[in-house]
Each structure stands twice: as structure tokens, then as C-alpha cells.
Amino acid sequence: MKNKILFSFIVLAGMAVSSAMAQVLPSKQETLKTLTLVNGYFMKKYADYTLPSKTDRVRPSNIWTRGVYYEGLMELYKIFPKEEYYQYAYGWSDFHKWGMRNGTTTRNADDQCCGQTYIDLYNICPTSPAMLKDIKACMDMLVNTPQVDDWTWIDAIQMGMPVLAKLGKLTGNTAYFDKMWDMYAYSRNTHGGGLFNLKDGLWWRDADFVAPYKEPNGEDCYWSRGNGWVYAALVRVVNEIPKNEKHRADYIKDFITMSKALKGCQRSDGFWNVSLHDPSNFGGEETSGTALFVYGMAWGINNGILNKAEYLPIALKAWDAMVKEAVHENGFLGYVQGTGKEPKDGQPVTYTNIPDFEDYGIGCFLLAGTEIYKLK
């Protein structure tokens, strides 16, 4: 009997040690080294931020893809305030005259994404009202007009919603918070019958993918990066709104629901597939969606919203996989799916393939790494 008790004690002690070892945090020094390496690759290759992007057509460099990169850069600046990071962001913003691709009357969230960085820069050093003039005018237009149906694709939630949250915090005007809820709720509950499938805890990318649309294996189509955009938006909104904001609990509830769903479809190697419920449809490592999920989970742990014991192993496994399998010696980031709206787009996704835009994948990675860096 004593031997059985002793054996049980040894097993339990071993399990406890194994659990503790599994949650050893990566070195802050190594995490920062990886982040500066990846960011350095981008800043060196795209040193001239005035140049337009050229793929199938020419686009100005303040479109959403570059806006997401600068979101990540501003988060990196918060933990490592290197002057050249600030100047790179400020110079880009100033070159574009703190404006948007299609002017102040645009309702396209892809145009508005750059405003997140404009507001962040203003908050660091509020030197001129001109820094906010255009983005505030555009968001005021949204607030002062009745439409709530602009975000018909879920990527738009990340591009536009945090801008409203940041302006609400900056100005103290709760009308920005009210409008972003109305627009979010329309996408969530009404458009296409509601793009958030509470049953699965995941989002259809747009109305074209709502059931009866199916993946090749018969499952619903949940695109990894699309869900990552919503997940990141919830983080960035909750970061800004006050604790007594009337829909804060609703956002957190959706964030937790998504976290549970994402936990259940992580690959064994730590990444997530481009198709969350069909690993056979262009399955394989994919960095941009994975990075956004790491960003959200690490943030949830850091802010006491997600259970550390439950979610830390998931976030660390994914971060470790990206660092070891996606980051090249020169900082190039592999396995980034190119632009599109579903698993088949932006292919091939490989270790060496350069996506049509490199900026947003690096932005997602910087967001993830800065939250990993903050883990205690």
C-alpha cells in the first residue's frame, strides 16, 4: 500500500514538473531579437515608404496592408522605443498628409486602417490637429449618418473598428463607441443572416461563405486570417474602451467564445491551417492567421481574460513554431498567405514564397511577439 502511495506521489510530482516545464516562457531578450530581426528585414527592403505597392495594379502605400504593418510597428515601439521606428511611422504618415486612399468620404474600412497609426502617433506627441483632421472627419461621417452596413466582410472589423474605439477614448465622446457596436452587431447578427456562427464560435468571411456553402470535406468554411482579423479587433477595441462601456462584456464574451473554438483546431505542429475546419483544403503551416491567434491568446492571458494554464501552452507552441519554422536568418517571414478571402487564394504558401504583399504578415507577427514579450 505504501509503495502504491509513493508511486502515485511520484507520478503526480512528475506531472506537475512536466506541466511547469511546458510553460517556461521564452527569453524576453530572444523574443525582442526575433522581433527586431523581422522588422529590420522589412524596414531595409521597404526603406522608401513613399513608394506605392505594385502587384496586379498600383496602390498607394497607406492602404490596409501597410496600415496593419504599422499597427505592429507601433506595438513594437511601445516595448522598444527605438527612434528610427517612430520616424519610419511618422514619415509615412506625414508623406500621406495623414490622409486616406479615397479621401474623407470613404466608407471603406480598408482605407481607414491607417488611422490607427495616425492616432497612436498623435497620442505620443500631439503636435498638430492636422494629424487627426482627416481620420476624425471620416469617422464623424460614420457616426453622423444612419448606415451600419459597411462591414460586409469580416476583415473590415479589424481595419475600421479600432479607429472608432481609439477616437472614443481620445475625445471622450461615447458616440464613437455606440456606432462601432451598431456596425459590429450588424456584421455579427444581420448581414447574411449573421456572420458569427455561435455554434462553432467562428466567423464566415462574408455572406458568400455562409451555409449551405461547404468546404471540400463538407464542413463550413472558416478562413484562418479572416477570423484572426476579428480576434485582433476585439483585442484592440477592449484595450481602448473604459471598463464601464456598455458593450465591453459582449466583446469579451465573443473573444472567449472564439478562443475556445480556436483552441480546438490548432495543428499538432503549433500552426493553424488556412481553413480552420478542413485541413485537407490547402492545409499546411500559415503564419498570418497563426500570428493573430497568438496575439489574441497572449493578450487574453496578460489581461486575465483567458486562463493561463489552459491557453499559455497553446500560444507558446504556436509562437515557437513560427520562430523556428517561419523566420529566416535574414528576417524574411515564410508561410504567409497572400491576399484574398479564402483558403485557395494567395497560394502557394511555403517557407520561401514571397506573398504579393509582405507588410501585413509582418505586422501580424509583430503584434503577436509584443504580447509574448509581455508574458510573466
Side-chain angles (χ1 to χ4, degrees), residues 42-58:
F42 184 84
M43 286 182 61
K44 180 180 179 180
K45 185 172 181 178
Y46 299 92
D48 188 350
Y49 45 68
T50 71
L51 292 176
S53 301
K54 297 179 181 178
T55 54
D56 56 326
R57 65 180 187 273
V58 176

Side-chain angles (χ1 to χ4, degrees), residues 60-98:
S61 70
N62 62 342
I63 61 170
W64 71 269
T65 66
R66 195 62 57 91
V68 171
Y69 163 73
Y70 280 104
E71 289 178 50
L73 181 64
M74 295 309 295
E75 293 304 310
L76 176 58
Y77 181 77
K78 290 177 185 177
I79 64 168
F80 190 54
K82 202 172 180 181
E83 179 63 17
E84 66 179 295
Y85 296 168
Y86 176 84
Q87 293 299 337
Y88 191 61
Y90 187 94
W92 169 78
S93 305
D94 197 51
F95 169 76
H96 290 290
K97 296 180 170 49
W98 308 89

Side-chain angles (χ1 to χ4, degrees), residues 45 70 80 108-109 119 159 174 238 251 266 315 324 354-355:
K45 185 172 181 178
Y70 280 104
F80 190 54
N108 187 336
I119 297 167
M159 307 306 160
T174 59
V238 175
Y251 296 130
Q266 185 181 30
K324 290 181 178 177
I354 300 175

